[in-house]
Amino acid sequence: MKEVPTEYQFLMLTSTPDREAAFRKHKEVALSAGRLGSIYMFHGSPIGNWHSILRTGLRVQGQPGLGASGPSIWMANHFATSIGYCQKGGYQAGWSKSRFGQQVMCMGMLEVINDSGKGVVPGRHVNVVSDTSIIATRYFLIFKGNIPQIQLQANNNKNKRYLGLVNKKEKYRT
């Protein structure tokens, strides 16, 4: 993804076969209803959360009463919005002998089923979702040091081409 300012970009293939099959079924339902099958969103989280996210996927955790949405997974259409969440949480990022240094931050790019009944609305700045079966982490991004403030939207058609999220055979990569 040439517009994302890091050389450390990893395609994620971590879903179990059953979870991926359920995700694809949700996507087919969305497509058959005449909607885009899925959209892409950025998800920032402190580095201390990423071990669990990479092993088990995003999970809805937390206590009831976290804003109007309750326990949910927050994701943003804008790269710059998610950057702030990469740093929150009070974790000491990195360690002295890491190739990434002590100021490492991580972000995910999620593929999310386009289902307004589950809180997903294309073009919305932030989507808040509690149903993890409609979310798949597709890319894992690692940043060394400070992340530049760039204006990049995941669901802008021009940026989808830059990000490699569109191919010639399908409107959106599956």
Side-chain angles (χ1 to χ4, degrees):
M1 298 183 287
K2 67 182 178 180
E3 292 297 307
V4 176
T6 181
E7 63 185 286
Y8 303 103
Q9 303 177 20
F10 303 93
L11 176 64
M12 301 296 297
L13 302 172
T14 58
S15 293
T16 64
D18 291 343
R19 183 173 166 95
E20 186 65 28
F23 182 87
R24 288 180 185 271
K25 184 169 175 113
H26 284 299
K27 191 171 182 176
E28 288 172 14
V29 169
L31 285 167
S32 68
R35 301 185 308 261
L36 296 175
S38 62
I39 61 173
Y40 287 86
M41 302 291 284
F42 294 104
H43 177 78
S45 193
I47 192 168
N49 294 345
W50 281 101
H51 181 262
S52 175
I53 293 169
L54 294 174
R55 288 184 50 105
T56 63
L58 286 162
R59 303 276 184 215
V60 173
Q61 297 179 354
Q63 300 171 355
L66 297 175
S69 61
S72 310
I73 297 168
W74 291 64
M75 57 201 78
N77 187 30
H78 295 269
F79 179 85
T81 301
S82 290
I83 289 171
Y85 294 93
C86 296
Q87 304 169 54
K88 295 191 183 310
Y91 294 106
Q92 289 293 340
W95 49 95
S96 63
K97 295 187 181 186
S98 167
R99 86 169 10 174
F100 302 109
Q102 291 186 296
Q103 294 189 352
V104 61
M105 290 185 270
C106 304
M107 185 184 295
M109 178 168 270
L110 312 178
E111 183 178 9
V112 187
I113 300 301
N114 179 17
D115 186 342
S116 61
K118 296 187 185 243
V120 180
V121 179
R124 184 184 285 170
H125 183 68
V126 173
N127 281 290
V128 182
V129 178
S130 59
D131 182 355
T132 59
S133 71
I134 67 166
I135 302 169
T137 304
R138 296 300 190 205
Y139 296 92
F140 179 58
L141 311 169
I142 302 174
F143 301 91
K144 292 167 59 171
N146 293 325
I147 304 171
Q149 293 286 331
I150 61 170
Q151 298 302 314
L152 181 62
Q153 295 180 36
N155 290 298
N156 173 310
N157 284 333
K158 176 184 170 191
N159 289 337
K160 283 181 182 169
R161 285 184 188 83
Y162 282 129
L163 294 171
L165 302 176
V166 176
N167 68 27
K168 292 178 182 174
K169 292 185 180 178
E170 301 174 29
K171 189 169 186 176
Y172 296 92
R173 185 179 287 176
T174 57

